[in-house]
Amino acid sequence: MKVKVCGITRAEDIAALAEIGADYAGFIFYPKSPRFAGDKLSGRTVRETGNGKLEKVGVFVQPDLPTLQRTIADYGLDMVQLYGDFPGEFILEVKKSVKVMKAVSIPESATELPVAGTEAFDFLLFDTAGKGHGGTGKQFDWNLFEGYASEQPYFLAGGIGPGDADALLRWREPHLFAADVNSKFESAPGIKDMRLVEAFIKQIKK
């Protein structure tokens, strides 16, 4: 199982993730987020930090195509994680340069996973619905994956904490590609506790 650490706002954290074996670093390009990377990290810093050991994922909420393409180039992104609804031609155009992941928000009242119409994406990401776009720090009901009605691999987000590694390893849902962690590994928004992150990665990859 791979590990994505999202909400990165500091160059030293990018470098640390590369050294401790994370697979993906996530950078949020949504200005309303307290973990907005656009005013904290330059494109050059993100491009040149990490020694090529990390795939870099940009998180966007309903971006327009020119802004998205410019940010992909400026920051050297390998993948984008998109919140919102997009026509097929938009996704195909973005996929010419990077992998594209669809973020799917799961409300508390959900009785099934809404995966219809997501076939064009390379990956799905399932997160707990809240007032904003992710970042609730809460888990949704993983039992919703029983009878998962898609063949797409997915990232699992939503309140995964340092104590959840064993549960993820025992679960063994065949389409689970990566664990996506964020707020439960922070001392403050955007400031990761790398001791917790490293211990989690070691457990997942042991």
Side-chain angles (χ1 to χ4, degrees):
M1 186 191 311
K2 295 184 182 295
V3 176
K4 172 174 170 271
V5 183
C6 200
I8 300 301
T9 61
R10 305 190 300 174
E12 57 264 39
D13 288 350
I14 307 173
L17 290 178
E19 293 304 316
I20 64 179
D23 302 287
Y24 300 89
F27 305 91
I28 297 174
F29 294 100
Y30 179 51
K32 294 182 180 180
S33 171
R35 300 170 182 85
F36 178 55
D39 61 355
K40 300 178 183 70
L41 290 166
S42 70
R44 180 177 179 179
T45 297
V46 173
R47 289 197 312 270
E48 296 182 356
T49 308
N51 300 322
K53 296 180 180 179
L54 283 170
E55 288 198 48
K56 296 166 182 177
V57 184
V59 181
F60 299 85
V61 176
Q62 206 68 58
D64 62 79
L65 186 58
T67 298
L68 183 60
Q69 291 175 322
R70 183 169 61 250
T71 308
I72 289 168
D74 287 350
Y75 283 82
L77 301 178
D78 303 290
M79 185 189 303
V80 294
Q81 174 183 326
L82 301 180
Y83 285 85
D85 296 314
F86 304 90
E89 57 268 24
F90 182 103
I91 302 305
L92 290 174
E93 189 63 31
V94 179
K95 287 175 73 171
K96 292 177 181 178
S97 56
V98 293
K99 289 173 282 188
V100 183
M101 178 158 57
K102 166 74 171 176
V104 181
S105 297
I106 309 301
E108 186 176 347
S109 59
T111 57
E112 62 181 10
L113 297 173
V115 297
T118 60
E119 296 82 7
F121 294 88
D122 298 297
F123 294 96
L124 303 180
L125 177 138
F126 294 102
D127 198 359
T128 306
K131 292 182 179 179
H133 302 275
T136 65
K138 298 178 181 179
Q139 291 186 11
F140 63 90
D141 184 4
W142 295 357
N143 289 322
L144 293 173
F145 286 96
E146 293 180 7
Y148 179 58
S150 174
E151 290 301 315
Q152 287 167 290
Y154 61 84
F155 287 58
L156 180 64
I160 296 173
D164 290 318
D166 285 342
L168 287 167
L169 292 171
R170 289 195 304 270
W171 189 32
R172 297 183 181 278
E173 207 291 320
H175 298 90
L176 175 59
F177 183 79
D180 187 310
V181 302
N182 192 344
S183 62
K184 298 293 186 182
F185 292 81
E186 292 182 331
S187 56
I191 309 300
K192 298 299 186 261
D193 184 332
M194 284 300 161
R195 294 171 301 174
L196 294 178
V197 175
E198 182 174 16
F200 180 83
I201 290 172
K202 285 182 176 178
Q203 278 188 277
I204 289 291
K205 295 181 179 291
K206 65 183 177 182

